[in-house]
Amino acid sequence: MPDTTETTRKGRKYNDVLIGAQVVFMRDGFDGASVDEIARESGVSKATLYSYFPDKRMLFLEIVRLQCLSQADAAFCGNILEAPAREALTRAAEIITRFLVSPLALSMHNLIHGEARRFPELAQKFYKMGPEMGKMRLIELFEVLLERGELQIDDMDFAAEQFTALCKTDVWMRCCLQMEDSPSEASIQKVITGAVDMFLARYSSEH
């Protein structure tokens, strides 16, 4: 599969296509999103759309990549690296948890899960754009907190994977199974608080 980051960033209608496609994917899901509807929502012709993205999967992956970058940047905006451990981890957990249960993230998960066996390169690209990049950002945060003496971690990779898993719990699973459309704010806050409490119980240097 061609690398979307190198082959599609041309033309004044490029951003219109991405905005329109995201609207359609979030509303209709990957399978329900037609090229005709994406072109209509974007205000471009199908020929223009295909000139940027000859494959619907490529378009979806580019949206995934941009969303993952946006979430990573949001998690590290402001002074998170200067914040105390609990505050910094709470902000990171909030970004992760809210993103995981968002319509777009759930659509990403369903697409990758359904297509991974037929298109393993799709799953590989998704992993690098999403989970792997998120793990690297968390490790960056952990290293700062470790250097300040607020955390004690031997295996950074494993700790980052644990932190992300703690931000899922049953809320994420219920959303994946379409048992719940939108978690309550109380449910989200419970996950965030629980994730940080559990992580600090294991890795805080204060005990």
Side-chain angles (χ1 to χ4, degrees), residues 29-192:
F30 179 80
D31 290 332
S34 70
V35 173
D36 286 332
E37 186 58 28
I38 292 172
R40 187 179 304 112
E41 185 70 36
S42 304
V44 303
S45 67
K46 286 177 65 175
T48 298
L49 177 60
Y50 280 126
S51 72
Y52 297 139
F53 300 97
D55 186 301
K56 189 170 73 168
R57 295 193 312 276
M58 290 172 61
L59 174 54
F60 192 85
L61 274 173
E62 180 66 356
I63 292 173
V64 169
R65 185 186 72 83
L66 294 174
Q67 283 295 314
C68 289
L69 282 173
S70 175
Q71 294 301 317
D73 289 342
F76 278 77
C77 70
N79 62 344
I80 187 171
L81 295 179
E82 287 76 44
R86 179 172 290 278
E87 179 183 340
L89 293 172
T90 297
R91 287 166 59 183
E94 181 165 14
I95 293 292
I96 294 170
T97 301
R98 292 189 186 280
F99 180 61
L100 286 173
V101 299
S102 70
L104 183 61
L106 292 170
S107 292
M108 292 180 205
H109 175 269
N110 292 337
L111 166 65
I112 300 304
H113 186 267
E115 300 285 358
R117 180 167 295 180
R118 289 194 301 157
F119 304 104
E121 73 278 12
L122 189 71
Q124 292 166 7
K125 280 181 173 286
F126 170 76
Y127 183 79
K128 289 182 179 180
M129 293 173 184
E132 188 172 71
M133 182 175 66
K135 182 165 69 173
M136 293 303 101
R137 290 298 186 96
L138 281 174
I139 289 174
E140 180 183 340
L141 173 60
F142 295 167
E143 287 175 342
V144 171
L145 296 175
L146 185 71
E147 186 176 347
R148 295 209 308 251
E150 297 182 58
L151 295 181
Q152 292 180 328
I153 301 175
D154 294 325
D155 189 334
M156 289 288 191
D157 279 58
F158 187 57
E161 291 163 6
Q162 286 181 311
F163 188 79
T164 301
L166 288 170
C167 292
K168 290 182 176 180
T169 68
D170 193 54
V171 171
W172 176 77
M173 180 59 69
R174 289 176 66 84
C175 288
C176 284
L177 297 176
Q178 299 183 0
M179 297 170 62
E180 189 171 351
D181 291 333
S182 180
S184 68
E185 184 62 25
S187 295
I188 290 175
Q189 290 300 326
K190 182 178 181 180
V191 171
I192 294 168

